[in-house]
Amino acid sequence: MGISNENSSLPLSTSLSLSLSLSPHDLKHRLLWREVYSPEEEGQLRTLVTEARSRGVTFVYALSPGQDIVFSSACDLTLLKRKLKQVSDLGCEAFAILFDDIDHSMCQADSEAFSSFAHAQVSVANEIYRFLGEPSVFLFCPTEYCGSLCSPCVSKSSYLQTLGADLQPNISVIWTGSKVISRTLSVDCLEEVGSVLQRPPLIWDNLHANDYDSRRLFLGPFKGREPQLRRHLRGLLLNPNCEFEANYIPLHTLGTWHRTPPGGEGGDDEPEYCPDSALSEALRDWMDELNQPLQPGDATADVIADVKRSKTASTPDRADRPPAQAKPLPMFPLSSGSPPTSPAKGGENGSEGEAKRPPGEGLKHKAQGRVPCGGKGLLSEAQVRLLVGLHYLPHEHGPAAQRLLQDLTWLKSNCHLVSLNGKKTAQQKVEEWRGRASRLMALCEDIAELHCSVVGGVNRAVLYDLYPYVWDLRNTALVAKAFVCWLGCGTTTGAELLGVDSEPWVFKGGVSGEVQMLLPIGSSTELFTHPPPLFPTSRLYNVRPYHSKDKVSHSNSTHPDVTGDRCLGACLALCPEYSFVLEDELGVCGCVTGVQDVRAFIKRCHATWMPAMRDKYPGPRTGPSALPAHTQEDQGEYPDSLLHHFPSQLRLDALPQLVDASVSRTLLTALLAALKANGSQGVFCEVQPTDRQRMEFLTKLGFLEILRGEARSREGVVLGRLL
C-alpha cells in the first residue's frame, strides 16, 4: 500500500483479534502473482495457516495483481482464481485483493470492455468474491486509498462513487485516512468517505509503518485516534514496524485504545484514552520482556545455554561472532599527558585546552592495555523511555528528541556568544550557552550509553531488531557533540553554520536525519548513511576537539617527540582548531587533523615551524641516523589547480585495535563539519596507492581521485571531495 506493504496487521471491530497477511517479500504476492506455489511452499503456507488458527489469529491471504493484469482477459481471471483456489485449499478463509500504487490507465482491451478503471476493478473483485464463496473476510484496497489521492476530492471522486455503488456490500474497503500516513483520524473524515463508499471504511493505519525509510523507527504509542472512531469503522489494521521487536508498544497501546469505551457509552466516570498513560503502562510491561534472555528462533534450552556461555567465555558465540575483518587504519597514537614539545606557538585561535571548551569533554583515559568490553547490564526504564522518545512517531518527536534538536539549533545560532573573534559578551550569556551545551552533550552521552546497553543486553532478539537504529543515532550524536565542543572552543567564523535550509520532515532519517541537516555538511548523505557493522560492540566512544593535554607518544627515548613533530606537530602547533580525537573507555584510539587553508599553512611552516625543527634536531639531514622531522614540508607545494577547488587538507588515523570501524567515519565527519563551518569548499588527503583499505574507506565517503604522481610524496594519490 504505497509506502506500506502487507505486513502483519491488527484489525479492530467489536472484539480484538489478529490478522496476518503474507509477507511482501513473497514474489508471488505481486510481481509473480500468476504463478502457483510449489509443493514445498504449499507445505509452509499450510503450516502457517494452521498455526495461526490454533492461536486465534485470522490468516488473510493478500494478492496484488494490479500492475499488469488485463481485467478483461478471461485467461488472467482464470489464473487469478487458480492461485486463490490453491490457497483456499490450504485452509485459508480470509482474502484481500489489492489495487494500490498502480497506473490508472487501461490497455485498449480494457478500455473497450469497461467504462472506467473503477468498473474494471469492481468487476474482477466481485467475481473473485463470488468464486471464493463470499467469505466473511474479504478486503479490497482501492487505488485511491486516502484523501490526498482522490481526484478531485473524496466526496466528488467518481472512482470512489463507482466502488460504493457497484462493489458487493460485504466487501470491506481499505482506507488510510486523509494522508497515506495520517497524523489524526477524525469522525468527520470517516463519515465523508463512508458516505461515498456506502459502507464504513476499514482503516489501514500506517502510523507505525517504517518501510519507507530505513533510518526511522516508531516506538511511540497509538495516538491521534479517539475511541469513538470505532462506531464509524468496519475495523482497523495497524501496519507495524518491519522489525518485530519494535512493535511491543504500538500493539500494547492499541490494545489499551481498544479497551477504552467510546465517549458516551460508559457514563461520565468512564476513563478516556490517554496516549501518555497507555505508553507508561506499555513501558512497564515491556521492561520485563527487554531484560529476559531471548534469541530469535531459539528454543529455551538454547537460550539458557547461550547465557551460560556468555558468562564463561569472553569471545562472542554463534550469531555474535564477527566475520573476518579487514585491518583497521594505522595511526601514530595519542595519549593523555603534556602537550607535544614544540618551539612554535599556536596561532591566535590555537588550543588553550579545556578553559575554552564546554563541560562534558568526554571519556576519561584509562589503562593503555586494550581489551574487549563486556555487556553493560540490564536496560533501565529511563533508558527505555529515552529510546522511545528518540524513535517516537512520524509527525512527532519525544521530549528528548525535541530537546536535542532545539538545543543544537540554539547553540548554532548563538555560537557568537563564545567566539574568540566576536564582541565582548556578558558573562550571563556565555554561561547560558555553556549550560545548554552541557545539557546537549550529556544527552549525547546518554545516547551512547543507551547504545551500549542495547548491545550488551541479554535480549538478543531486541538487539538484532533495534541495533541499526540506535547505532545510527549514536554516531550522529557523536558528530553533534563534537561539533558543539568545537563551537565552544570559539574558533568558528560562522561562514556556513546554518546548515541546510529545509522544512521539517522533508529529509529522511527521523531524529538522526534532522540532526544531520542541522550540521554544516548535512546535505552530504554519504557521510551519514551506511549499513551498521555486522558485529555490534558495546564499547563507548567519544569524539572531541584536540586539547593541550593530548600528547603524541613514541618509543624513541632519545627523541620522544620525533614522531609527533614529524607527522602531526605542524598541524597541532599552527592550526590545532582543526584537530579531533577519538577515544574509547581505554583511552585515545584515533585522531584526525586538518588544515583550513593549505597555502597559508605552508607559508607559516616555512616561516616558523621548519626553522624551529632544524634547531630542535640539529643532526644530519641524510644517512641512517637522520631525523627527517620536516621532509614533507621540503618536497614542494601542491598545484594551484588542486588548491583552487580543494583548499583544505586532512589526515585520518586510527588504532589497529579499533573494534567499531564506523566511528572512524564519525571522526572524519566531525572535522569536515568544522572545515565547512569556517567556509572551506573542498578537502583533500594523500593516500598511498597500496593502502587499499584507506582508499576504499574514503571513496565510500565521497572522495574521488584527483591527482596521481603530483602529490608531495611523489608516489602518493590525492583524493578530494567538495564540501
Side-chain angles (χ1 to χ4, degrees):
M1 179 179 291
I3 57 174
S4 61
N5 294 310
E6 293 70 53
N7 299 325
S8 299
S9 314
L10 191 148
L12 290 170
S13 54
T14 55
S15 61
L16 186 65
S17 61
L18 286 173
S19 172
L20 180 66
S21 63
L22 203 57
S23 167
H25 301 294
D26 175 19
L27 293 180
K28 295 179 180 179
H29 159 75
R30 182 182 289 263
L31 182 65
L32 305 177
W33 65 268
R34 294 177 177 87
E35 296 187 15
V36 295
Y37 292 105
S38 66
E40 180 182 359
E41 292 169 335
E42 279 188 338
Q44 295 173 349
L45 270 174
R46 180 182 289 107
T47 300
L48 183 57
V49 172
T50 302
E51 185 68 17
R53 184 183 297 114
S54 69
R55 297 177 180 270
V57 175
T58 301
F59 179 88
V60 180
Y61 180 80
L63 205 61
S64 298
Q67 285 184 331
D68 60 356
I69 188 174
V70 179
F71 293 96
S72 59
S73 169
C75 179
D76 271 2
L77 190 58
T78 299
L79 293 175
L80 186 58
K81 291 178 179 178
R82 181 184 68 165
K83 180 69 165 288
L84 295 173
K85 177 66 164 56
Q86 181 189 30
V87 178
S88 177
D89 290 342
L90 299 176
C92 181
E93 299 176 344
F95 301 88
I97 187 164
L98 312 176
F99 293 113
D100 55 304
D101 303 325
I102 60 176
D103 190 354
H104 283 72
S105 62
M106 293 189 291
C107 65
Q108 183 175 352
D110 287 343
S111 297
E112 295 173 354
F114 302 104
S115 59
S116 71
F117 194 48
H119 283 98
Q121 293 181 359
V122 167
S123 174
V124 170
N126 286 342
E127 178 71 17
I128 294 300
Y129 177 67
R130 288 189 292 265
F131 170 76
L132 293 171
E134 300 186 358
S136 59
V137 177
F138 191 89
L139 313 182
F140 176 92
C141 181
T143 306
E144 295 182 2
Y145 55 80
C146 66
S148 61
L149 295 179
C150 292
S151 178
C153 62
V154 174
S155 61
K156 297 180 180 180
S157 168
S158 59
Y159 174 88
L160 293 183
Q161 290 171 356
T162 300
L163 296 186
D166 296 342
L167 197 65
Q168 288 291 317
N170 289 330
I171 295 179
S172 298
V173 179
I174 290 172
W175 188 253
T176 66
S178 60
K179 304 284 186 180
V180 178
I181 306 172
S182 298
R183 181 167 190 167
T184 60
L185 295 175
S186 69
V187 170
D188 291 342
C189 290
L190 295 181
E191 287 181 337
E192 179 185 30
V193 70
S195 175
V196 178
L197 294 174
Q198 301 183 30
R199 73 202 74 197
L202 186 144
I203 291 296
W204 184 292
D205 202 332
N206 288 310
L207 183 64
H208 293 89
N210 71 333
D211 54 351
Y212 57 93
D213 188 347
S214 61
R215 297 179 70 189
R216 300 196 72 175
L217 191 70
F218 303 114
L219 305 178
F222 191 70
K223 190 173 184 181
R225 292 100 172 98
E226 296 301 324
Q228 56 264 34
L229 292 176
R230 295 204 300 269
R231 299 196 189 101
H232 307 275
L233 299 176
R234 276 200 178 175
L236 187 146
L237 305 172
L238 182 64
N239 194 15
N241 294 278
C242 295
E243 296 75 16
F244 178 81
E245 296 295 338
N247 293 304
Y248 190 95
I249 290 176
L251 293 176
H252 193 292
T253 55
L254 176 59
T256 303
W257 176 87
H258 176 69
R259 291 190 297 270
T260 303
E265 286 188 359
D268 295 337
D269 295 334
E270 289 290 347
E272 296 183 356
Y273 176 73
C274 175
D276 292 338
S277 299
L279 173 60
S280 296
E281 182 181 348
L283 278 172
R284 287 193 295 270
D285 291 344
W286 199 26
M287 289 298 300
D288 295 334
E289 296 276 343
L290 290 174
N291 291 320
Q292 292 296 324
L294 178 63
Q295 293 276 5
D298 280 1
T300 303
D302 293 333
V303 175
I304 295 175
D306 197 42
V307 173
K308 289 182 178 179
R309 280 193 295 271
S310 67
K311 293 180 178 179
T312 58
S314 60
T315 56
D317 50 79
R318 296 203 295 163
D320 290 340
R321 184 176 292 114
Q325 297 182 2
K327 296 180 180 179
L329 306 176
M331 78 162 287
F332 298 97
L334 286 164
S335 64
S336 180
S338 58
T341 303
S342 170
K345 296 182 180 180
E348 57 186 27
N349 291 335
S351 171
E352 291 183 11
E354 297 160 353
K356 297 179 186 175
R357 299 191 303 108
E361 66 184 43
L363 306 171
K364 295 181 179 179
H365 301 293
K366 296 186 179 181
Q368 291 302 306
R370 314 189 78 83
V371 296
C373 294
K376 301 297 176 184
L378 302 180
L379 278 163
S380 68
E381 183 172 344
Q383 285 182 317
V384 179
R385 283 191 175 274
L386 176 62
L387 174 68
V388 173
L390 293 169
H391 305 87
Y392 202 63
L393 291 171
H395 306 91
E396 181 181 357
H397 291 313
Q402 294 178 33
R403 188 168 67 249
L404 175 64
L405 295 170
Q406 291 169 359
D407 282 346
L408 181 56
T409 302
W410 188 91
L411 290 167
K412 280 188 0 174
S413 301
N414 293 276
C415 65
H416 61 276
L417 297 175
V418 291
S419 174
L420 297 180
N421 298 326
K423 298 179 180 179
K424 188 173 182 181
T425 307
Q427 187 64 27
Q428 182 180 0
K429 291 290 186 180
V430 174
E431 292 302 322
E432 180 184 4
W433 195 97
R434 297 203 179 280
R436 293 188 72 156
S438 296
R439 185 172 72 173
L440 180 140
M441 288 187 284
L443 177 56
C444 291
E445 290 172 1
D446 289 341
I447 293 172
E449 291 279 2
L450 171 64
H451 170 269
C452 292
S453 295
V454 170
V455 173
V458 295
N459 192 318
R460 312 309 286 173
V462 171
L463 163 65
Y464 298 143
D465 277 357
L466 303 189
Y467 174 68
Y469 301 97
V470 295
W471 170 85
D472 181 41
L473 188 56
R474 185 280 305 260
N475 285 352
T476 306
L478 283 178
V479 178
K481 179 173 179 285
F483 183 65
V484 170
C485 277
W486 180 79
L487 290 178
C489 295
T491 56
T492 177
T493 62
E496 297 288 345
L497 273 180
L498 294 182
V500 178
D501 184 15
S502 63
E503 293 293 332
W505 319 111
V506 171
F507 296 93
K508 292 186 176 182
V511 176
S512 293
E514 291 191 57
V515 171
Q516 169 188 332
M517 300 315 296
L518 287 172
L519 297 172
I521 51 172
S523 60
S524 302
T525 56
E526 67 275 9
L527 296 174
F528 295 90
T529 54
H530 288 270
L534 295 177
F535 177 45
T537 173
S538 59
R539 190 183 297 275
L540 275 170
Y541 289 98
N542 181 50
V543 177
R544 60 169 174 82
Y546 160 83
H547 58 77
S548 59
K549 286 188 176 181
D550 298 313
K551 179 181 179 182
V552 180
S553 62
H554 195 264
S555 58
N556 189 327
S557 58
T558 305
H559 298 283
D561 300 325
V562 65
T563 299
D565 285 341
R566 177 182 181 183
C567 302
L568 302 176
C571 291
L572 297 181
L574 302 180
C575 49
E577 65 271 23
Y578 298 111
S579 298
F580 288 83
V581 171
L582 172 68
E583 56 189 358
D584 62 13
E585 297 151 303
L586 304 173
V588 175
C589 55
C591 68
V592 62
T593 57
V595 176
Q596 174 77 7
D597 186 342
V598 173
R599 285 194 181 96
F601 176 77
I602 291 176
K603 291 180 181 179
R604 295 179 65 191
C605 280
H606 283 286
T608 60
W609 179 255
M610 291 169 58
M613 289 296 97
R614 294 189 186 100
D615 292 341
K616 184 175 181 179
Y617 303 106
R621 298 296 174 213
T622 60
S625 60
L627 295 174
H630 51 276
T631 54
Q632 286 189 349
E633 286 71 25
D634 282 333
Q635 290 180 4
E637 299 184 357
Y638 295 102
D640 290 337
S641 59
L642 171 67
L643 298 182
H644 177 74
H645 297 287
F646 306 95
S648 303
Q649 186 180 18
L650 67 83
R651 175 186 178 127
L652 173 69
D653 291 294
L655 280 177
Q657 296 91 339
L658 188 63
V659 178
D660 186 353
S662 67
V663 294
S664 295
R665 169 169 58 87
T666 303
L667 176 64
L668 179 62
T669 303
L671 172 62
L672 297 183
L675 292 172
K676 175 71 171 178
N678 276 352
S680 176
Q681 298 178 349
V683 62
F684 71 92
C685 64
E686 291 189 44
V687 182
Q688 295 301 312
T690 55
D691 193 347
R692 297 185 179 276
Q693 183 185 353
R694 193 182 297 262
M695 294 270 285
E696 180 181 359
F697 173 79
L698 292 170
T699 300
K700 288 181 178 179
L701 298 183
F703 284 80
L704 299 175
E705 182 176 328
I706 306 300
L707 296 174
R708 184 182 287 264
E710 295 185 54
R712 302 180 88 189
S713 54
R714 294 300 179 185
E715 70 279 8
V717 177
V718 174
L719 300 179
R721 65 157 291 154
L722 297 175
L723 297 177

